[in-house]
Amino acid sequence: MSSPEKAYSSVFPEASVKTLRQIIEKSRRAGIVTHYDADGDAIGSSLALYHYLKAKELPEIRVFTPNPYPAFLQWLPGHEVVFLYEDDKELTGRYLSSCDLLVFVDFNTLPRLKKMMSVFENHPAFKVLIDHHPEPDIKANLVFSDTRPSSTSELIFYLISKLGDGRLIDKPTAENLFTGIMTDTGCFSFNSSQPATWHAVGQLLQCGIDKNRIFSLVYENYSDSRMRLMGYCLNEKMKIIPEYHAAYISLTLQEQEQFNFIPGDSEGFVNLPFSIAGIQFTAFFIEKNDHIKISLRSKGKIPVNRIAKEHFKGGGHQNAAGGESELPMPAAIEKFISLLPQYENWLQ
Ligand SMILES: [Mn+2]
């Protein structure tokens, strides 16, 4: 049996790990940056890294997201140090401009930061990218990227171990890493077939985390209006296209208002139709102020990242991707439906 610890050894060349160790030692001011509409893995991996760099006594460290993130993540240890770029562009811009170390976490291309990306144009800091999305195109001094790990959190667990600092993973760090792995695998229902993922989880449990409490804080913490919105989506908005094994749900601004929508309320909705026998391809359309945000999911070989990239200005993983459209809702849905015949042969 091969050791799970060796699973991603190709991601962590000795020379890169050594360079990172030296950089962490000499950096004075670090900025940890994650993507727009941050999810559990984005925040969990960023905050785990924050705790780790603190333990390494790096003098000043801050975490940044472009916009607000869901309430069900606002208990994660350290969440109070997360700065929202949208809240104070000048202050966050000033801090980030003076960083000597920037770590980009859980995204593969700068446009995922939306307007915040302008801060990083020609930025002189030492840049590190830690991510699990395919084909990263961010120019960084060090890139730790691989699509095999379940999550960026899992990758960070192994990176800290590689740096020889496994003992610095304390309970707050472990709670963040566990949350990232749990949410990016849909509670271990997908992207979690590798022993390395479970090895990491086993090690995190040994740090004294309360798995049931974390589950409850993330998944049993919604408002009643969110549950009613889910019921409405399933009963009135879910459409099934049996000949293409596809299903989609759409939500307008007016419907969001009707159910007192707050960020995070539609989390996981895109996966709901997979409970139906035979569904292999799902989409979720949600109206924002000036565009429609589209989430795509698939089973098997259907490359939703390619569809997102080619038709909806987005990208992601083979089975989980996102994009957007400037079209009105009915036209965006129609465009999605018109693409389905192309993928008929990819169905299982
Ligand atoms: Mn992720």
Side-chain angles (χ1 to χ4, degrees):
M1 240 168 61
S2 68
S3 156
E5 268 139 349
K6 296 212 177 91
Y8 310 125
S9 50
S10 61
V11 191
F12 306 117
E14 278 309 323
S16 304
V17 172
K18 193 175 160 201
T19 307
L20 181 59
R21 204 178 287 128
Q22 289 163 347
I23 288 290
I24 291 172
E25 247 154 57
K26 70 173 197 207
S27 295
R28 316 305 313 159
R29 181 177 271 200
I32 299 167
V33 178
T34 194
H35 59 81
Y36 198 88
D37 283 344
D39 54 16
D41 187 32
I43 301 293
S45 58
S46 296
L47 287 175
L49 200 59
Y50 168 81
H51 287 288
Y52 169 66
L53 294 179
K54 250 198 135 44
K56 294 297 281 181
E57 294 175 354
L58 203 147
E60 227 182 324
I61 316 146
R62 288 187 193 176
V63 176
F64 295 90
T65 63
N67 66 328
Y69 57 92
F72 62 78
L73 299 172
Q74 291 177 16
W75 60 272
L76 283 166
H79 79 95
E80 61 286 343
V81 306
V82 179
F83 290 78
L84 306 188
Y85 176 67
E86 253 177 33
D87 277 357
D88 193 336
K89 292 189 177 110
E90 214 199 290
L91 190 82
T92 54
R94 215 180 316 133
Y95 178 89
L96 284 166
S97 319
S98 62
C99 284
D100 50 8
L101 172 61
L102 290 173
V103 191
F104 299 127
V105 170
D106 197 41
F107 62 102
N108 57 354
T109 175
L110 283 179
R112 288 284 280 130
L113 298 175
K114 303 240 170 164
K115 290 195 179 111
M116 190 181 173
M117 74 183 272
S118 62
V119 178
F120 305 105
E121 274 157 26
N122 305 316
H123 198 296
F126 191 92
K127 299 185 196 77
V128 181
L129 172 68
I130 311 173
D131 183 41
H132 68 128
H133 294 88
E135 298 165 30
D137 75 357
I138 295 172
K139 284 194 188 67
N141 302 77
L142 287 176
V143 175
F144 300 101
S145 171
D146 196 292
T147 55
R148 290 171 298 163
S150 61
S151 53
T152 301
S153 296
E154 182 185 340
L155 207 51
I156 286 182
F157 168 84
Y158 283 106
L159 177 60
I160 296 174
S161 307
K162 271 277 166 193
L163 286 160
D165 289 328
R167 69 189 186 290
L168 295 180
I169 300 181
D170 56 5
K171 196 174 161 194
T173 314
E175 286 180 323
N176 278 297
L177 292 176
F178 180 81
T179 302
I181 299 172
M182 179 183 78
T183 51
D184 250 27
T185 58
C187 246
F188 305 97
S189 57
F190 44 80
N191 289 344
S192 47
S193 302
Q194 296 193 87
T197 306
W198 297 87
H199 171 78
V201 169
Q203 297 290 110
L204 297 174
L205 288 169
Q206 289 204 327
C207 298
I209 62 170
D210 182 343
K211 172 189 84 67
N212 296 351
R213 178 179 157 267
I214 295 175
F215 176 88
S216 185
L217 285 166
V218 172
Y219 293 112
E220 299 175 338
N221 216 355
Y222 291 114
S223 63
D224 63 328
S225 60
R226 189 260 185 182
M227 290 305 290
R228 290 179 208 288
L229 174 67
M230 187 193 273
Y232 170 75
C233 282
L234 290 174
N235 196 33
E236 300 193 29
K237 301 303 304 275
M238 182 172 67
K239 306 287 174 220
I240 296 170
I241 310 165
E243 60 272 39
Y244 298 118
H245 299 261
Y248 68 87
I249 295 170
S250 65
L251 210 48
T252 64
L253 277 171
Q254 196 235 322
E255 289 165 326
Q256 293 167 53
E257 212 173 294
Q258 196 185 326
F259 288 91
N260 306 315
F261 189 92
I262 57 163
D265 272 359
S266 59
E267 189 77 23
F269 283 12
V270 65
N271 294 310
L272 292 172
F274 282 131
S275 298
I276 303 163
I279 295 296
Q280 296 177 35
F281 194 176
T282 70
F284 179 70
F285 301 81
I286 184 163
E287 188 179 3
K288 303 277 174 180
N289 284 329
D290 53 0
H291 67 280
I292 308 281
K293 190 183 161 207
I294 304 162
S295 304
L296 300 168
R297 299 289 184 275
S298 67
K299 299 275 181 203
K301 294 200 195 95
I302 303 167
V304 287
N305 52 354
R306 234 178 68 188
I307 301 169
K309 195 174 175 184
E310 285 169 15
H311 304 282
F312 299 111
K313 294 184 284 182
H317 307 276
Q318 176 167 312
N319 295 131
E324 56 186 60
S325 174
E326 248 86 89
L327 296 168
M329 183 67 90
I333 293 173
E334 213 162 289
K335 183 171 172 185
F336 166 74
I337 295 172
S338 76
L339 296 169
L340 294 175
Q342 293 178 39
Y343 295 93
E344 208 179 349
N345 295 334
W346 300 71
L347 295 168
Q348 285 168 329

